[in-house]
Structure formats: C-alpha cells, structure tokens
Amino acid sequence: DTGVSQNPRHKITKRGQNVTFRCDPISEHNRLYWYRQTLGQGPEFLTYFQNEAQLEKSRLLSDRFSAERPKGSFSTLEIQRTEQGDSAMYLCASSLDEGGYTFGSGTRLTVV
Amino acid sequence: DAKTTQPNSMESNEEEPVHLPCNHSTISGTDYIHWYRQLPSQGPEYVIHGLTSNVNNRMASLAIAEDRKSSTLILHRATLRDAAVYYCILRSYNFNKFYFGSGTKLNVKP
C-alpha cells in the first residue's frame, strides 16, 4: 500500500466552474477525512466518513460542496460554482477507527 | 474543541536539540496530546502522541508536564529535513476531527 493518494495534485479552474477531487485511502482504513488548508494556516476540518456514511460536516462545507464515499472505499469532493475564496489545498486523510491519521499530499486548487 | 498555543516560529542549528513547546491549559482528562508535522508541499505526518507519561519513538520524544497543561516535543538532533511546521493537537477519546491551529514553523540552520 502506498499510502493515501489524492488526484489531481494541482487544479487550476475558472471561477464558476465545477471541480472534483479524488482521494484513495489506505485500503484497510474505515475512516476518511477531508480538510482544507489556506496559506499560512493549519488544516481545517471539512467532513468525515466512517465507511460510506458521512457522519459530520463542518460549517465550512457550504451547499456548493459535496463529498461522497461510495462503497466505503475512495472518496470524492466536488465544489460547484467555484469562487476565488475556494483556492486552497484540499487534504484527505484516513485512519482505522481511532488510530492515527495518514494524510495524502493534497490537491492544490487555484480559482482564477 | 480544546485549543493549544504554540510559538509562531523557532530556529535551531543543525545537529543540535530542539524543544518545541505547547500550552494546552484546557486539556481534559481523556485528551491525548498529538504532534504532527508538515513539510513543504506535503500533507501533515504523524510524529508522536501521549496521554500522561513521556514518550519516545524513532522520530522524537514527548515530554508532558505533570499537570498536563503543557508539553514539549523534543527533536534530539535537528537535521535540515526537520524544517517543517509542527502542530500540537489535542484529541479527545471519542474524536472524529483534529483542530490544528497555526503550528510552529521550525527553521533549521546549517
């Protein structure tokens, strides 16, 4: 297993377009998390899945954001009608129950 | 979420020990103290964690105050590869998210 994989690594999009990011967690990990990180700040929690169930969503996750984890494996994070304020690094992490997190390298989104 | 306070930045010389402090005065009895670090252009990576006793692993040591209101991450011999942002995080027993804060940016001079 090569760890948590995120694709793409970089995405540049025009304001108003929709974007989708993918996260492949460590295969035996049942929990998956999405975080967002802006320049100079620590990561901020967005949402959390246990298997396929989305159990918690942050207030940061506006109605333009949607996350899915079909079949409890990979996850996607979609942002609709992107805004410049959405420019950030989007990080995915996974864990086995309350075990330690393993993070991916992130997807850097730039909205122009 | 219980919060932590860390210095914004610290500097160290290569091959010298580094002590990174963290204050967590509102820690509860079931909160674990976790440290993660983030290298440039990477996601955070686990460093060490503890509850009450001091902990050692191949990467670092964690010294926890007796009242648990503060802790110190110790890198015994800093290398240039240790230059990163270090986050001190409290994790509750039934957690499902981390609160990272802004961390301490460690600069290691050759």
Side-chain angles (χ1 to χ4, degrees):
Chain A
D1 197 330
T2 56
V4 177
S5 177
Q6 291 190 247
N7 289 288
R9 287 297 308 274
H10 303 274
K11 178 72 175 178
I12 300 174
T13 190
K14 292 184 178 179
R15 191 174 53 187
Q17 297 293 305
N18 299 343
V19 294
T20 300
F21 311 138
R22 177 178 171 124
C23 172
D24 287 273
I26 291 174
S27 56
E28 63 266 27
H29 285 184
N30 57 346
R31 295 187 180 187
L32 186 145
Y33 312 82
W34 285 98
Y35 282 74
R36 182 176 73 181
Q37 185 173 25
T38 54
L39 202 60
Q41 302 297 315
E44 298 173 291
F45 173 79
L46 291 179
T47 190
Y48 145 68
F49 290 85
Q50 177 149 322
N51 299 312
E52 67 275 11
Q54 188 173 19
L55 297 186
E56 187 170 349
K57 293 194 292 186
S58 161
R59 286 172 296 176
L60 293 174
L61 214 65
S62 75
D63 56 7
R64 295 185 299 105
F65 288 69
S66 62
E68 295 182 342
R69 193 184 182 198
K71 302 179 183 178
S73 55
F74 71 92
S75 177
T76 57
L77 178 68
E78 181 183 17
I79 308 174
Q80 296 181 326
R81 304 181 303 280
T82 52
E83 302 172 357
Q84 286 189 320
D86 297 330
S87 295
M89 174 78 84
Y90 290 84
L91 292 161
C92 175
S94 68
S95 71
L96 179 61
D97 297 321
E98 288 90 18
Y101 277 19
T102 301
F103 278 88
S105 295
T107 294
R108 181 166 295 284
L109 173 67
T110 302
V111 181
V112 297
Chain B
D1 297 314
K3 301 294 194 296
T4 62
T5 304
Q6 300 176 253
N8 289 333
S9 63
M10 292 185 64
E11 201 164 72
S12 170
N13 294 316
E14 197 175 11
E15 299 190 3
E16 290 186 355
V18 182
H19 291 233
L20 297 166
C22 180
N23 288 319
H24 29 78
S25 58
T26 60
I27 191 170
S28 73
T30 56
D31 284 342
Y32 285 79
I33 302 159
H34 283 246
W35 285 80
Y36 279 72
R37 73 179 186 180
Q38 188 171 23
L39 302 170
S41 301
Q42 298 290 322
E45 65 172 341
Y46 169 82
V47 177
I48 200 166
H49 78 282
L51 183 62
T52 55
S53 303
N54 294 344
V55 183
N56 300 297
N57 67 21
R58 63 176 182 81
M59 289 182 71
S61 296
L62 177 60
I64 301 173
E66 194 169 337
D67 64 4
R68 302 208 327 124
K69 293 184 184 300
S70 65
S71 61
T72 302
L73 178 70
I74 303 166
L75 306 178
H76 295 286
R77 289 184 65 213
T79 70
L80 297 178
R81 294 181 61 183
D82 291 322
V85 178
Y86 288 78
Y87 296 99
C88 169
I89 304 161
L90 300 183
R91 171 182 160 181
S92 61
Y93 173 74
N94 194 26
F95 98 111
N96 50 28
K97 62 190 177 212
F98 280 138
Y99 175 78
F100 275 83
S102 298
T104 296
K105 184 174 183 179
L106 175 66
N107 181 37
V108 180
K109 296 185 297 183

